[in-house]
Amino acid sequence: PETMAFALLAAVMLLCGAHRRTNRLRHLGVAVGLIIVWANTHGSVGIGLLTLGLYCAQRVLEEFFRKDAPRDRRVLIACLVTPPAAFVASCINPEGIGLPLAFNILSPIWVDGVFEWRPFAIGQATAITQAAAYVVVCSTALALLVARKTSFWHLVLVLVLTVLTLRYKRFLAYALIASVPLIAVNIR
């Protein structure tokens, strides 16, 4: 099921980018629909909520402080409505509201006993895991150095996922997926 979550993260990020380029409301609507699918396939739906929330927060701030043209009310309203709609959508699953809030209830005893919930240690990682970690770190560093081409929401998403990876190694794949577009946009 987590493999599906990886694809859903990439799809939600793609839809955020498409909305950024076109301002078409359907992109955000499809993203909310994907949140329902995500909530019913894997418990990591909070990452999708974070992704949509960061994107929409940046767009609201951009529209609110816009000086070069009148505010686009459709974008403003859509980006204000999407995060709460996505949260409600994430509750449409057998566990209800408990699923999107699952990371708040992880028991320290349970976390210590499960390998993937242990802290990330580069010295104990396999070669492929080390390579993935280096890609995340290098793409983040590149984005920070060439910030003019990087969306702030995207950079914050990668930084949050990187911090989560240091605490729980299971988030490395999500950080890697989120960081790949940072590389692509900054090497042109």
Side-chain angles (χ1 to χ4, degrees):
E2 193 171 23
T3 304
M4 182 74 161
F6 300 151
L8 289 166
L9 173 60
V12 168
M13 290 175 59
L14 179 71
L15 288 164
C16 289
H19 181 262
R20 175 83 182 143
R21 289 185 299 280
T22 66
N23 287 335
R24 290 192 178 138
L25 300 178
R26 70 176 163 189
H27 298 299
L28 295 179
V30 171
V32 170
L34 289 179
I35 293 295
I36 296 172
V37 174
W38 198 335
N40 284 282
T41 56
H42 195 262
S44 62
V45 68
I47 295 170
L49 295 173
L50 174 68
T51 303
L52 272 176
L54 288 172
Y55 170 75
C56 287
Q58 178 175 330
R59 289 302 307 269
V60 165
L61 290 173
E62 287 172 352
E63 286 301 320
F64 189 72
F65 291 110
R66 187 177 199 167
K67 295 184 195 267
D68 61 339
R71 292 183 187 123
D72 187 336
R73 290 179 190 264
R74 285 178 6 123
V75 170
L76 196 56
I77 291 169
C79 288
L80 285 170
V81 169
T82 296
F87 181 79
V88 169
S90 73
C91 295
I92 303 172
N93 69 78
E95 294 183 37
I97 197 168
L99 184 65
L101 302 176
F103 290 114
N104 290 334
I105 59 172
L106 290 175
S107 158
I109 296 170
W110 184 81
V111 168
D112 288 340
V114 179
F115 177 76
E116 65 187 32
W117 284 101
R118 292 186 183 149
F120 181 79
I122 197 78
Q124 298 172 351
T126 63
I128 192 79
T129 304
Q130 288 178 357
Y134 290 130
V135 167
V136 170
V137 169
C138 291
S139 66
T140 304
L142 179 64
L144 288 169
L145 292 172
V146 191
R148 68 185 185 284
K149 293 183 179 180
T150 303
S151 296
F152 183 73
W153 75 269
H154 195 160
L155 184 58
V156 171
L157 176 65
V158 172
L159 290 172
V160 167
L161 291 172
T162 301
V163 168
L164 282 171
T165 298
L166 294 173
R167 182 149 182 187
Y168 308 112
K169 63 179 82 180
R170 73 166 309 153
F171 289 100
L172 178 60
Y174 295 103
L176 181 63
I177 291 164
S179 68
V180 168
L182 291 179
I183 298 169
V185 76
N186 286 306
I187 60 172
R188 289 185 192 195

